[in-house]
Amino acid sequence: MKHLREFITEHRVGPRDLPLLLVWCAVWAYVMARAVHVSFSWDEAYTYLHHVRPGVLWPDRFDAMGANHHLLNVWLMWLANGLLGNAEWMLRAPNVFAGALYLTVAFLLVRNVRPWPVSLCLFLLLTVHPYMLDMFSLARGYGLGMAFMLLSLVMLRKYASSFRTSTGAWAVFAAGSASLSNLTFLNFLLAVLATLFVVLMIKGDTLRSKWMRLVLFIATAAPFLMINAVLTWHLKAGGSLYFGSSDIEGVIWSVAIKMFYHLPDYEDPVSTFKWVLAISLLIPFISLVIVVVRRQREVAWPLLPGLLVLVFWTAGLGFEHLVFGTPLPHARTGVPIIPLASFLLVTTLMSPAMGRFAGRAAACILVIPLCQLQVRAYNLAYTIEWRVSGQVREMFETIQKDMATVLPHRPVRTVLSGFESYMPLRYYAERDGADRLVIHQMRNGEPFLRWDYYIVEFDALDKIDTVNWDLRFDGTATNTRLFQDARNVGIHKRLAHTQYGSLGNEEWTGHRMLKGDQRYGGTIRYVFNEETARDPWLVVDMEVRADGKDDWISFDLGIRRNGVNLESRTTYTQEGARGPEWERLALAFGPSLEVLAGDTLEMTIWAATGQREQWVARPELRVYLPDAK
């Protein structure tokens, strides 16, 4: 209670804090608005479908996507999903509140600097980084990690001055929480422990007291270290730690183009990043050397911990890369440099080491280009890391309106989607119960078959069919567009033929179980005649009961002529653990090429692995033709 009373007294908010609080509210409102408006990204959608919804709280697969499971982020998303729901802003709420924590820690760090315009400039130097603010608007572990990182740095700085054991323990706990948010921050936890050890060895105290404190700090870190050690071992063994850079130039380039994505075209982001990094890191080092030479120990102590963390963190990354072959940071895995460099610069500008006016003047000057960058980056349509998919929700809603009318020849709608938009589209289909939406991903080298809709990203704009496709949504902000195939719209159909699936020589009775060696779920084979070969519309429709966690049901369909395959299509049940309910598995399409009498349609149903018990009802093929009316 004594410490709580001291905390309340020390951090009581008054009228002098009003300018900072107004900016605090404005920045957090921006973070919240983006969490609401920006569509889910590929990584967020994958996390929801494969980890959050089925309740996979510890990675169950250590393949290429094993590192997608950010532990603390998944746990908090799972809680948010249960308590609030599965809308984007609900699943992103933990990171949005992490943004509030980051802003609050920054506020407490600079609020006592006078005059207030200087404290405001320092606050902005800590907070208005476009790439960093992006992460607080997303359901990923990076925002959580940066919030706990800044909290740990501030507590570490306070510990170096007060030498209070509980403050050091809180610094370790915050660093450990950051490491659970994303494995990228594990080196930060180790750097904090190493820094505390150095501070303990330098500070005057009895040897017994030093070791007692060190044991407490290690005990605080032990649960985090053990969890991360097990996770790292599994990820390394499964080949999941693949995302990164191979050299320092790759690190600088990948982080620079994201941090300074919104620079004018005539500016070089790499050279800009090098200059900014040099200023942010050299000023603290030079200031520390000056105060040490002057023997200003009380001035040096607040500067030392952050610089030690930087040294140990960098050394740890280099050691892992050289000894274990772990990739260096790349793009978003290098994002911890933003709060660390900002903290070092701001605390140095606050320090008496900079003199009475130099630090304050530098803060007011340096904040100007940063605010300009943030103004250029302002938008509610996308984030820098996952820009392409920023407007997928609007495209899905456009498709959803068309799906309101259900016709016999339209049991489902089909979408061909670019890579970045594919997984978010699956999330929206799952979230809103659009089980009548068949989603297929564009793949390099594959021809564009005839679908109802096409989500075309920046790298496939040259494949747009200007004759047959109508633009339905122009995503100018993301350079992603939604098209509808005009050949599939507004045509009256009449049923010309119906055919049911068969099991060869077996009789189809009731529902067929697919499990183990019995993965085969039936076949349909149909030969087009003179009538049905004239612009047919084909519907394959069935009910299935699938288990999408370890197994799924799919059917492969092909149109053949004289033994040569003309067109192939595949559809399958969606990802994630399923309930006991039956669901529809269907496909409705017009062939992309002209069909001739004698061509054959062949469709086969399969269970993917046979690991789980799954069921399929007898499939039905319906052939529709244009109505003369």
Side-chain angles (χ1 to χ4, degrees), residues 156 159 190-203 210-211 214 217-218 308 312:
L156 199 60
Y159 173 76
L190 297 174
V192 168
L193 288 174
T195 298
L196 285 168
F197 176 78
V198 172
V199 172
L200 279 172
M201 294 302 104
I202 297 176
K203 277 278 191 178
K210 290 180 179 180
W211 283 108
L214 185 61
F217 297 153
I218 294 175
L308 286 175
F312 287 126

Side-chain angles (χ1 to χ4, degrees), residues 314-591:
T314 306
L317 291 174
F319 177 81
E320 288 179 354
H321 180 66
L322 294 174
V323 177
F324 301 111
T326 304
L328 294 170
H330 183 88
R332 58 185 177 271
T333 59
V335 77
I337 193 61
I338 299 178
L340 179 55
S342 301
F343 171 82
L344 290 173
L345 179 62
V346 166
T347 51
T348 303
L349 297 179
M350 291 167 53
S351 171
M354 293 292 293
R356 187 173 181 181
F357 300 108
R360 291 168 170 79
C364 296
I365 293 171
L366 293 174
V367 78
I368 295 173
L370 180 61
C371 289
Q372 288 177 330
L373 182 66
Q374 180 58 61
V375 170
R376 290 179 62 87
Y378 174 83
N379 77 88
L380 299 178
Y382 62 86
T383 59
I384 296 167
E385 188 72 35
W386 292 279
R387 177 171 183 169
V388 175
S389 60
Q391 295 175 297
V392 170
R393 182 179 64 238
E394 289 93 327
M395 299 180 193
F396 173 76
E397 290 170 349
T398 300
I399 297 170
Q400 198 174 31
K401 291 176 183 177
D402 295 345
M403 294 172 63
T405 302
V406 181
L407 300 171
H409 68 280
R410 280 289 191 182
V412 293
R413 304 284 174 136
T414 58
V415 185
L416 182 64
S417 171
F419 172 78
E420 291 285 350
S421 304
Y422 170 76
M423 196 62 69
L425 197 59
R426 296 200 75 93
Y427 156 75
Y428 288 113
E430 284 287 297
R431 188 194 73 178
D432 293 348
D435 58 349
R436 294 185 293 106
L437 189 63
V438 177
I439 307 165
H440 188 77
Q441 182 181 321
M442 295 179 187
R443 302 189 186 278
N444 291 334
E446 288 187 359
F448 274 27
L449 300 179
R450 182 176 161 188
W451 299 80
D452 291 323
Y453 301 93
Y454 310 87
I455 295 181
V456 183
E457 297 170 356
F458 69 97
D459 56 349
L461 296 177
D462 59 322
K463 298 180 180 179
I464 295 171
D465 184 344
T466 56
V467 175
N468 296 307
W469 297 3
D470 293 332
L471 182 65
R472 292 295 306 277
F473 183 89
D474 187 1
T476 305
T478 57
N479 208 12
T480 303
R481 295 167 175 82
L482 172 68
F483 294 90
Q484 185 172 19
D485 199 311
R487 293 169 293 182
N488 297 354
V489 179
I491 302 175
H492 296 286
K493 304 289 185 181
R494 63 179 178 86
L495 181 63
H497 178 79
T498 301
Q499 183 172 323
Y500 294 95
S502 67
L503 295 170
N505 296 327
E506 295 182 48
E507 182 180 356
W508 194 300
T509 56
H511 299 142
R512 181 169 177 80
M513 183 180 73
L514 310 180
K515 188 178 182 183
D517 294 336
Q518 186 176 296
R519 294 170 50 219
Y520 170 64
T523 299
I524 292 179
R525 186 176 187 277
Y526 172 70
V527 180
F528 292 93
N529 56 38
E530 291 288 346
E531 180 189 19
T532 57
R534 294 197 302 268
D535 194 17
W537 181 263
L538 307 172
V539 176
V540 178
D541 200 358
M542 70 192 77
E543 287 190 326
V544 297
R545 196 170 74 187
D547 186 317
K549 185 175 184 296
D550 297 309
D551 206 350
W552 62 92
I553 299 173
S554 67
F555 67 76
D556 302 318
L557 183 150
I559 299 177
R560 302 172 66 84
R561 179 182 301 160
N562 299 326
V564 177
N565 195 58
L566 300 178
E567 178 176 328
S568 298
R569 295 177 185 254
T570 299
T571 190
Y572 47 86
T573 51
Q574 299 188 30
E575 295 101 333
R578 320 301 295 175
E581 301 83 9
W582 287 81
E583 58 187 284
R584 167 171 269 160
L585 183 63
L587 192 60
F589 68 98

Side-chain angles (χ1 to χ4, degrees), residues 111-166:
R111 64 182 295 231
N112 291 325
V113 176
R114 291 291 173 266
W116 70 262
V118 176
S119 65
L120 183 59
C121 291
L122 293 170
F123 180 77
L124 292 171
L125 283 173
L126 274 170
T127 57
V128 291
H129 302 275
Y131 193 39
M132 183 182 73
L133 291 181
D134 277 358
M135 299 304 174
F136 292 126
S137 303
L138 298 169
R140 308 299 295 134
Y142 306 104
L144 292 165
M146 288 188 292
F148 288 121
M149 184 182 199
L150 185 63
L151 176 61
S152 178
L153 288 168
V154 170
M155 299 301 286
L156 199 60
R157 178 177 182 267
K158 188 174 181 181
Y159 173 76
S161 299
S162 68
F163 212 50
R164 179 178 288 176
T165 304
S166 60

Side-chain angles (χ1 to χ4, degrees), residues 24-38 40 44 72-73 76-77 80 84 87-105 132-148 181 380 383:
W24 188 105
C25 292
V27 175
W28 197 48
Y30 179 58
V31 169
M32 287 193 293
R34 289 166 61 77
V36 171
H37 288 282
V38 177
F40 242 33
E44 292 175 290
L72 187 58
N73 178 62
L76 294 176
M77 283 181 70
L84 300 175
E88 301 103 309
W89 71 268
M90 297 172 183
L91 297 171
R92 290 167 169 169
N95 273 272
V96 172
F97 282 106
L101 173 62
Y102 185 97
L103 294 171
T104 301
V105 174
M132 183 182 73
L133 291 181
D134 277 358
M135 299 304 174
F136 292 126
S137 303
L138 298 169
R140 308 299 295 134
Y142 306 104
L144 292 165
M146 288 188 292
F148 288 121
S181 303
L380 299 178
T383 59

